[in-house]
Amino acid sequence: SIWITWKTSTPSSSQVRYGTNSTHLTELATGEEVELSGTYYWHSVQLKGLEANTLYSYQVVSGDKESEVYRFRTAPRQGGTTPMRILLMGDHQIKTRSGYEWLMQAAKRKVEEKYGNVEENINMIMNIGDQVDVGTLEQYEMIHLNKSSLLSPYLPIMTAVGNHETYSDPGMATYAAHYHYEDLEYKGVKSGTENYYAYQIGRILFVVLSTEHTGSEQK
């Protein structure tokens, strides 16, 4: 499965059309909308039952608005030996700094130069923390979401908690509202939170820890 998520400034529906044929999106999934403020509505739709290591096209439908048609490749089969390529990035917390946009552009250019199309040759982006300077909605929209937009329609992004995510959001409510990590598990072990988690893709085990939530429970 994969989560498709987006933000609108007014209430609207949460739907995604998708399929393996970009000109014939035969499947429709609906999800939920959460009001995080009077001008910030967060939409989440989970596409389930997808084939492993397969290209899917999709289009977001929110009220009377439709996105462009984008593509993503699903993860390799768990336990399989399909090679994986991951973009590892992070610490793009500063709103006035353009380094993350430049990094996105450089990564896209280098991937296309070495391998070809991004979504066909990169499996995911892993952000290593400090996606925002402080954990406000304006920061998530203008820094993490906006600065990731060159690649985020095509590549799934996983995140880790940095200390800056806790500033203005000590209970991590804003962080948790944007992500869906609480159900991830590895061999029956899961945290039930967004703060730290583990999961397997292909033959890789990802153990995503939080230095802001130390203690015996995480250990």
Side-chain angles (χ1 to χ4, degrees):
S1 71
I2 194 169
W3 285 93
I4 308 294
T5 56
W6 68 98
K7 179 258 179 186
T8 60
S9 56
T10 57
S12 57
S13 59
S14 305
Q15 296 182 318
V16 175
R17 299 190 189 109
Y18 67 100
T20 54
N21 186 333
S22 62
T23 62
H24 196 50
L25 304 178
T26 58
E27 302 294 325
L28 178 67
T30 59
E32 65 173 13
E33 169 198 81
V34 178
E35 181 181 355
L36 300 183
S37 82
T39 58
Y40 201 112
Y41 295 83
W42 189 244
H43 302 263
S44 301
V45 176
Q46 188 179 22
L47 311 185
K48 300 179 180 179
L50 306 178
E51 295 294 325
N53 202 30
T54 300
L55 284 167
Y56 283 86
S57 297
Y58 73 98
Q59 181 181 47
V60 164
V61 182
S62 220
D64 61 353
K65 294 181 172 61
E66 298 178 346
S67 74
E68 297 178 38
V69 175
Y70 300 106
R71 288 202 311 173
F72 65 87
R73 182 184 288 278
T74 52
R77 179 179 57 83
Q78 189 176 90
T81 58
T82 303
M84 292 179 62
R85 295 189 183 100
I86 299 166
L87 290 179
L88 188 67
M89 308 182 189
D91 203 15
H92 51 285
Q93 57 182 285
I94 305 301
K95 183 178 178 181
T96 57
R97 189 172 65 200
S98 301
Y100 195 62
E101 295 97 313
W102 298 342
L103 181 60
M104 283 276 179
Q105 293 170 14
K108 183 175 185 293
R109 185 169 61 248
K110 182 58 69 173
V111 167
E112 291 172 345
E113 174 189 313
K114 290 177 66 68
Y115 308 116
N117 183 281
V118 171
E119 67 264 31
E120 293 181 17
N121 294 282
I122 300 294
N123 292 94
M124 61 183 286
I125 294 172
M126 183 73 223
N127 281 132
I128 57 174
D130 290 348
Q131 282 79 216
V132 293
D133 186 20
V134 294
T136 63
L137 292 176
E138 188 265 351
Q139 292 261 311
Y140 277 100
E141 178 179 6
M142 299 311 299
I143 299 180
H144 181 53
L145 301 177
N146 184 52
K147 290 178 182 289
S148 300
S149 60
L150 180 66
L151 295 179
S152 60
Y154 308 98
L155 299 177
I157 298 180
M158 305 299 288
T159 65
V161 174
N163 63 313
H164 281 263
E165 271 76 44
T166 67
Y167 298 169
S168 298
D169 187 24
M172 302 297 293
T174 305
Y175 181 86
H178 286 89
Y179 305 115
H180 297 276
Y181 304 147
E182 67 274 7
D183 290 328
L184 292 176
E185 65 176 69
Y186 177 67
K187 295 190 174 181
V189 177
K190 68 178 182 178
S191 73
T193 77
E194 315 291 345
N195 300 334
Y196 47 88
Y197 52 93
Y199 60 96
Q200 182 179 347
I201 297 179
R203 57 183 175 180
I204 301 176
L205 170 62
F206 292 85
V207 181
V208 183
L209 304 179
S210 168
T211 56
E212 304 306 303
H213 298 88
T214 57
S216 59
E217 185 176 1
Q218 181 176 197
K219 181 181 179 181

